[in-house]
Amino acid sequence: MRQFSILLVFVVAFGGAAVLYEQESRKVKGVLSQITDLQAKLGDMQAEINRLNAELEAVKIAERRRPNLNSIASRVLHNEPAAPAPKPAQSQQRGLVAGDVTSAAPAIRGRGDEQGEDGEWSKPSVDAEAYEAQSAQEAPVADPYQ
């Protein structure tokens, strides 16, 4: 009988401990889920803060530029001439010198300047077979890979 009473005390003690452990673990799980939710909300808020900081920086930059834009707008509204740029004294006295003019040919040619291979580009487009036949009649080209 004595062993039964000791056994009963152990069962009650371990059973009570198991119940308390289960209750505390549920509390801990609830707190951990709340922490996870708060971390997600914190991440969302941080993204929103970053977006708002970027907008604030853009507004600050726009505010720095605004006085210049306002002065230009007021000048245009009042038809005031822009501040004249200082002209160098040499350009008024000096004429055109041969070193000022480039001797290179123009990079873009007009329609009248068509030459040899450029004339081919001005022709109307044709089928590939007809083009090969035309080019074969004009001048046979040796294949460099043979």
Side-chain angles (χ1 to χ4, degrees), residues 43-121:
D44 293 342
M45 290 174 62
Q46 188 64 39
E48 184 71 14
I49 288 170
N50 289 341
R51 185 186 64 80
L52 291 174
N53 279 338
E55 286 182 16
L56 180 64
E57 287 298 319
V59 168
K60 285 181 181 178
I61 290 171
E63 286 296 322
R64 281 189 225 140
R65 293 177 65 197
R66 179 172 289 197
N68 189 18
L69 296 176
N70 284 338
S71 65
I72 292 172
S74 64
R75 194 178 329 135
V76 169
L77 288 175
H78 299 312
N79 291 329
E80 296 176 5
K87 297 180 181 177
Q90 285 185 348
S91 66
Q92 292 175 354
Q93 297 173 356
R94 188 179 100 156
L96 188 62
V97 180
D100 295 338
V101 181
T102 180
S103 62
I108 300 174
R109 293 187 294 247
R111 293 189 185 267
D113 294 339
E114 291 179 357
Q115 296 172 353
E117 60 188 51
D118 286 341
E120 183 176 332
W121 290 100

